[in-house]
């Protein structure tokens, strides 16, 4: 499948690499190809500059957001939450029409330091904002509740643990669930929260995620839903 991954950070790299390894035709989108390749400093999370990463991952071209949008049958949003609407706008509404948009972003606000606040909360969510702004895209929120490494390698966490999906379009959710299974998520780990409103819960869960990570001293964990 042709897949566009919007985002050159640790999520974009991890998801692109995993999907490419699985045989998908992946292009990675960025604001400016030359500017991104010219970076020589690690990003704010300490990841090596993109050009250095690309030397060991040459199969995936780095292209503009618009070219990525034109390429992908499925588009993954792995951009900074505060910039996601702008990044998707640059990708092009026409490029997204009818396509599955897997949104993995969080609307984090670190203006007051860590743990982050959320810039949209309670009565709305980034996933809903994206769906409203791009009504012809079939938005499915998923993967946003865990570290990038866990998103693409669920087996690194022992035992049962969950990944959530939320979105209005049942067929689009099936496409995302199928990709999740390919990545290695067991079918019974994929919990469908219903419509796009479910995005509020998975974005607000990040408050617990950051508190747990502070308590454990690591982000290398996930949540497991255990029921009677
Ligand atoms: P990030 O630093 O949050 O985002 C990097 C991407 O955002 C880059 O591709 C960058 O574009 C783009 N971007 C930044 N400012 C922009 C702007 N003004 N306009 C357009 N695009 C802009 O990277 P990340 O850590 O990989 O996270 C990606 C998303 O996943 C975020 O929403 C994050 O909250 C969420 N998330 C991350 C993790 C994790 O493990 N890191 C876990 C769960 C959810 P350029 O390529 O042009 O620089």
């Amino acid at each position: 499948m042709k897949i566009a991954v919007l985002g050159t950070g640790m999520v974009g790299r991890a998801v692109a690499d995993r999907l490419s390894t699985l045989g998908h035709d992946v292009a990675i989108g960025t604001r400016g190809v030359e500017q991104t390749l010219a970076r020589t400093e690690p990003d704010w999370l300490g990841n090596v500059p993109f050009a250095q990463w690309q030397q060991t991952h040459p199969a995936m071209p780095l292209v503009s957001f618009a070219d990525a949008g034109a390429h992908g049958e499925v588009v993954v949003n792995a951009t900074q939450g505060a910039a996601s609407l702008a990044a998707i706008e640059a990708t092009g509404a026409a490029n997204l029409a009818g396509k599955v948009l897997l949104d993995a972003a969080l609307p984090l606000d670190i203006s007051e330091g860590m743990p982050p606040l959320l810039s949209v909360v309670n009565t709305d969510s980034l996933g809903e904002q994206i769906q409203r702004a791009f009504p012809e895209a079939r938005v499915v929120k998923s993967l946003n509740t865990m570290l990038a490494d866990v998103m693409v390698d669920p087996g690194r966490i022992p035992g049962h643990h969950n990944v959530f999906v939320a979105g209005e379009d049942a067929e689009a959710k099936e496409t995302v669930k199928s990709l999740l299974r390919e990545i290695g998520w067991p079918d019974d780990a994929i919990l469908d929260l219903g419509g796009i409103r479910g995005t509020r819960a998975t974005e607000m869960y990040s408050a617990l995620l950051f508190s747990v990570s502070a308590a454990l001293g690591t982000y290398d964990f996930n949540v497991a839903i255990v029921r009677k």
Side-chain angles (χ1 to χ4, degrees), residues 5-14 28-33 35-36 39 43-45 47 50 62-63 65 77-88 90 103-108 118 126 141-151 206 209-210 219:
V5 176
L6 311 176
T8 57
M10 62 187 292
V11 175
R13 295 179 198 188
I28 301 177
T30 189
R31 278 171 288 184
V33 172
Q35 293 90 326
T36 298
R39 288 179 195 146
D43 69 14
W44 69 289
L45 292 168
N47 301 298
F50 189 87
L62 182 68
V63 299
F65 284 136
N77 175 33
T79 61
Q80 196 180 314
S84 286
L85 287 167
I88 299 169
D103 174 30
L106 288 170
L108 303 182
L118 292 175
L126 178 61
K141 191 93 187 186
S142 192
L143 293 174
N144 58 308
T145 50
M146 66 199 78
L147 178 70
D149 295 346
V150 180
M151 295 179 191
S206 63
L209 182 145
F210 284 106
Y219 285 97

